[in-house]
């Protein structure tokens, strides 16, 4: 249903993707994409962000920039362990950066869409994102971890929306036993 699904956040580097992903916790991806070009024109590098007073900008981004500069020489690290030491980056953000910017499948991105749809499709009985991710990692083959999340997120936006999913149009209708199905 979603061939070629990819990350909706505009970015030119792992750092830009990290910032966009942190911002996406606050608003829609569309809104993030409107804001980031101006932001990166004003602050081109992590060191530029690190020098900003946190009050003048999202605190988590300044904190992330300072960590990237002080601990990783201005380069966004490539391991889950290191990424989790960056303020504002939990497993979801780390998985987005590793998967989309570096092509490293360390886990499965679990955002609100993935969590909801994994539950609707009986791929998990959990709602805690870390547990949902563990369940998905057992079911989804590792070479699909990155694309799976992109596809499910698109599905969550297009059809399997939070309220009143559009089940009539959904190709998974025959396989889905979600309690809140609309058909
Ligand atoms: S049938 Fe409905 S609830 Fe099930 S996956 Fe499709 S849109 Fe979502």
């Amino acid at each position: 249903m979603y061939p070629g699904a990819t990350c909706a956040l505009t970015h030119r580097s792992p750092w830009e993707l990290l910032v966009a992903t942190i911002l996406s916790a606050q608003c829609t991806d569309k809104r993030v994409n409107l804001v980031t070009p101006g932001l990166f024109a004003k602050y081109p590098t992590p060191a530029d962000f690190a020098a900003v007073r946190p009050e003048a900008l999202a605190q988590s981004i300044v904190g992330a920039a300072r960590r990237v500069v002080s601990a990783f020489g201005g380069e966004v690290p490539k391991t889950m362990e290191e990424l989790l030491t960056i303020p504002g980056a939990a497993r979801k953000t780390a998985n987005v950066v590793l998967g989309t910017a570096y092509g490293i499948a360390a886990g499965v991105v679990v955002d609100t869409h993935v969590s909801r749809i994994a539950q609707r499709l009986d791929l998990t009985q959990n709602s805690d994102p870390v547990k949902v991710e563990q369940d998905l990692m057992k079911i989804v083959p590792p070479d699909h971890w990155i694309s799976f999340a992109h596809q499910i997120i698109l599905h969550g936006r297009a059809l399997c929306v939070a309220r009143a999913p559009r089940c009539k149009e959904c190709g998974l209708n025959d396989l889905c036993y979600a309690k809140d199905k609309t058909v």
Side-chain angles (χ1 to χ4, degrees), residues 12-13 15-16 37-49:
R12 296 169 300 181
S13 67
W15 166 248
E16 290 194 2
L39 199 59
F40 294 128
K42 193 165 178 195
Y43 308 108
T45 67
D48 295 314
F49 279 91

Side-chain angles (χ1 to χ4, degrees), residues 1-2 116-117 120-121 155-156 158-161 164-183:
M1 289 161 65
Y2 304 100
R116 176 178 74 253
I117 295 168
R120 280 180 172 161
L121 291 173
H155 186 47
L159 298 175
C160 199
V161 292
R166 295 157 65 185
C167 305
K168 215 170 166 179
E169 300 162 54
C170 177
L172 299 173
N173 205 340
D174 291 346
L175 302 168
C176 178
Y177 297 90
K179 285 189 196 75
D180 54 348
K181 270 178 77 168
T182 53
V183 187

Side-chain angles (χ1 to χ4, degrees), residues 112-133:
T112 170
H113 298 294
V114 176
S115 183
R116 176 178 74 253
I117 295 168
Q119 290 174 65
R120 280 180 172 161
L121 291 173
D122 293 326
L123 303 178
T124 184
Q125 308 236 325
N126 290 298
S127 53
D128 171 58
V130 173
K131 289 185 182 157
V132 172
E133 186 188 354

